[in-house]
């Protein structure tokens, strides 16, 4: 069973899915563009740093050991007293990294594993002339640089200084010169660009989602109208009677040039076919009903004559041979059975045609008492029980038809259960409705037969023994009469208990 959270993660409407899918694609495209742009910018900036680093290395090599520039054989930079004495912001005396060197340049020289000199220059912004202030590298920083071999160019992290791009070269005197440029500007530029890209992507996706939601909603309105038409058709009762299937998708939404229009056009064609089929079915049903009604009506007269002549022969004073008397008795009994079948068919035909029933107040309690009394006479080998409220219960309907409903249910219980079965009839008032229950403790109805037990000429299987014949129309008449009273009838059956419940409006 899916959790409630899975429903939240999975949008239900097509509009939500389209908007979320489009937004996700925009985010993906924006991320790809951002990554590519940031990567290109990073490599471009690093290329500039590499060029600056090469130039810095060349300048340092020319400066070291040049007597005209004050380098001397030791390679030390000119002393601070050769320049204007300007104090740095931290109180130290400014000194000089080297001519043409940029802000933050790092320089160190090693000879025979010994540090000759190390400096890192930063411009002091507190002074009006932005004098370069030179700082000596710490021992830890110098140890990191000493591990770099000649010819290498790599990026290292120096405590207190940050990330540097370092190049190591061998000077003419055999000493190792390490020169580096800071990557702080590169990192700041890259972070700024990435931040701007993220803001632009998120803002663009948000705007696209709002605008896209509006556009998708507008474009899906024809589909919504098609769905509304289909929903209205689904609410129609198409199983019986004459059906007015005039609902159609508007012509504007049934244009075959668009996908939604193709759906609307296909739905209209389907409705036309279904409408034609329903009209043909209704016409056929009307003809069958009319035939059944006419045939039933016409059969009543000859059946009445057959019964009359049979009864007259049986009552004749002239003696007839026993076999003739038996044959005439069979003719009379079958005529009686056929008369009942004809009457049932005629009643169903009238109910199917929508002929209105009588509407008057019916004492349902008295109807139950009369019907159970008749059932006791017909089924003396069954036990009959009543479960009635203390006060009389009344409903509005046709008294004759409601009596027939109860009679058919009791006859069904008597016919399809063995002797000794207990049949309980009860009335349960329930506000605006009234329930009439007929329950027996017989063997039950076969589960394969149960779904179609109210169909015409439906037969229960042999597990429910029959002491007399059955037309298979009793329960069909029950359902037809109850439906005509705007009620319902249900059945629940299992071995040892079969319960029919008739629900009728109380008024």
């Amino acid at each position: 069973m899916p959790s409630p959270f899975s429903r939240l993660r999975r949008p239900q409407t097509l509009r939500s899915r389209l908007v979320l899918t489009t937004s996700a694609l925009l985010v993906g495209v924006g991320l790809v563009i951002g990554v590519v742009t940031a990567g290109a910018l990073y490599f471009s900036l690093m290329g500039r740093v590499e060029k600056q680093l090469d130039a810095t290395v060349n300048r340092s090599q020319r400066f070291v050991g040049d007597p005209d520039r004050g380098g001397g054989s030791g390679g030390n930079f000119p002393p601070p007293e050769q320049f204007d004495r300007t104090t740095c912001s931290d109180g130290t005396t400014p000194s000089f990294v080297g001519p043409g060197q940029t802000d933050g340049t790092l320089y160190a020289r090693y000879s025979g594993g010994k540090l000759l000199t190390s400096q890192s220059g930063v411009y002091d912004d507190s002074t009006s002339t932005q004098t370069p202030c030179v700082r000596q590298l710490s021992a830890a920083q110098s140890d990191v640089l000493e591990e770099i071999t000649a010819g290498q160019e790599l990026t290292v992290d120096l405590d207190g200084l940050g990330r540097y791009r370092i190049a190591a070269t061998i000077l003419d005197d055999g000493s190792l010169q390490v020169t580096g440029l800071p990557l702080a500007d590169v990192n700041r530029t890259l972070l700024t660009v990435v931040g701007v890209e993220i803001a632009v992507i998120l803002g663009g996706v948000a705007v696209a989602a709002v605008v896209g939601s509006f556009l998708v909603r507008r474009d899906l309105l024809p589909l919504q109208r098609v769905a509304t038409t289909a929903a209205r058709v689904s609410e129609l009762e198409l199983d019986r009677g004459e059906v007015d299937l005039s609902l159609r998708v508007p012509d504007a939404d049934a244009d075959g040039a668009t996908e939604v229009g193709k759906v609307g056009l296909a739905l209209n064609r389907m409705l036309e076919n279904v409408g034609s089929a329903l009209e043909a079915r209704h016409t056929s049903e009307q003809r069958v009903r009319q035939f059944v009604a006419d045939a039933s009506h016409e059969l009543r007269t000859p059946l009445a004559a057959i019964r009359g002549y049979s009864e007259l022969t049986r009552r004749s004073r002239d003696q007839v041979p026993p076999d003739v008397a038996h044959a005439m008795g069979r003719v009379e009994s079958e005529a009686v059975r056929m008369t009942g079948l004809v009457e049932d068919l005629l009643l169903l035909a009238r109910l199917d045609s929508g002929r209105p029933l009588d509407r008057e107040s019916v004492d349902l309690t008295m109807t139950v008492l009369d019907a159970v009394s008749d059932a006791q006479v017909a089924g003396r080998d069954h036990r009959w029980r009543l479960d009635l409220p203390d006060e009389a219960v009344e409903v509005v309907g046709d008294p004759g038809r409601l009596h027939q409903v109860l009679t058919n249910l009791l006859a069904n219980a008597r016919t399809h259960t063995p002797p000794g079965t207990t049949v309980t009839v009860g009335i349960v008032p329930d506000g605006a409705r009234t329930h009439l229950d007929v329950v027996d403790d017989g063997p039950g109805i076969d589960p394969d037969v149960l779904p179609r037990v109210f169909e015409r000429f439906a037969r229960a299987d042999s597990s429910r023994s029959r002491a007399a014949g059955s037309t298979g129309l009793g329960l069909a008449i029950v359902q037809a009469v109850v439906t005509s009273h705007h009620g319902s009838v249900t059945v629940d059956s299992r071995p040892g208990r079969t319960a029919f419940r008739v629900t009728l409006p109380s008024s």
Side-chain angles (χ1 to χ4, degrees), residues 206-430:
V207 173
V210 173
V211 177
S213 178
F214 171 77
L215 296 178
V216 169
R217 175 182 294 182
R218 186 195 62 183
D219 293 339
L220 290 181
L221 283 179
L223 184 60
Q224 181 65 36
R225 290 191 288 268
V226 171
T228 301
T229 302
R232 292 174 61 187
V233 172
S234 67
E235 295 173 356
L236 297 176
E237 295 182 359
L238 306 178
D239 57 337
R240 64 181 64 187
E242 185 176 4
V243 180
D244 181 16
L245 197 59
S246 59
L247 291 173
R248 293 292 186 274
V249 176
D251 294 338
D253 301 330
D255 183 7
T258 64
E259 289 78 3
V260 176
K262 292 179 181 179
V263 175
L265 188 61
L267 181 59
N268 281 346
R269 291 175 179 173
M270 183 187 69
L271 291 176
E272 291 176 0
N273 294 334
V274 172
S276 300
L278 291 175
E279 184 177 354
R281 185 207 66 182
H282 178 66
T283 302
S284 177
E285 287 180 351
Q286 288 295 97
R287 291 175 180 174
V288 172
R289 289 169 184 168
Q290 188 63 39
F291 169 76
V292 172
D294 294 341
S296 300
H297 183 74
E298 294 298 329
L299 286 174
R300 295 171 74 183
T301 300
L303 286 173
I306 293 173
R307 291 179 59 185
Y309 283 114
S310 300
E311 186 176 354
L312 180 61
T313 302
R314 183 170 51 83
R315 294 181 180 182
S316 175
R317 295 180 180 179
D318 298 332
Q319 294 294 327
V320 296
D323 55 345
V324 176
H326 175 72
M328 296 306 296
R330 291 298 302 160
V331 169
E332 183 179 1
S333 64
E334 289 302 316
V336 171
R337 180 174 177 274
M338 192 170 182
T339 300
L341 176 59
V342 168
E343 293 293 339
D344 288 344
L345 288 173
L346 185 58
L347 174 60
L348 286 173
R350 289 172 177 172
L351 292 174
D352 289 340
S353 64
R355 183 172 299 182
L357 301 177
D358 294 337
R359 300 283 295 175
E360 59 182 77
S361 180
V362 180
D363 188 341
L364 193 59
T365 303
M366 186 57 64
T367 303
V368 170
L369 292 175
D370 293 341
V372 173
S373 297
D374 296 339
Q376 285 178 333
V377 175
R380 295 185 181 276
D381 52 357
H382 285 66
R383 292 189 295 269
W384 305 90
R385 293 181 180 177
L386 296 173
D387 183 12
L388 304 176
D390 296 335
E391 298 181 358
V393 178
E394 294 185 353
V395 296
V396 176
D398 189 318
R401 297 306 174 208
L402 292 179
H403 186 276
Q404 186 176 11
V405 167
L406 188 55
T407 300
N408 287 2
L409 290 175
L410 295 177
N412 181 76
R414 182 185 72 250
T415 303
H416 299 290
T417 56
T421 301
T422 300
V423 181
T424 304
V425 182
I427 298 177
V428 181
D430 185 17

Side-chain angles (χ1 to χ4, degrees), residues 446-500:
D446 187 349
D448 295 334
V449 179
L450 191 61
R452 53 187 179 87
V453 72
F454 292 107
E455 295 179 3
R456 298 175 187 186
F457 301 105
R459 302 275 188 172
D461 72 339
S462 58
S463 64
R464 290 171 68 88
S465 62
R466 295 193 323 209
S470 172
T471 64
L473 295 176
L475 293 180
I477 292 175
V478 169
Q479 187 182 50
V481 172
V482 172
T483 302
S484 299
H485 282 79
H486 307 289
S488 63
V489 57
T490 58
V491 60
D492 179 27
S493 182
R494 61 179 181 272
R497 186 179 187 275
T498 299
F500 286 86

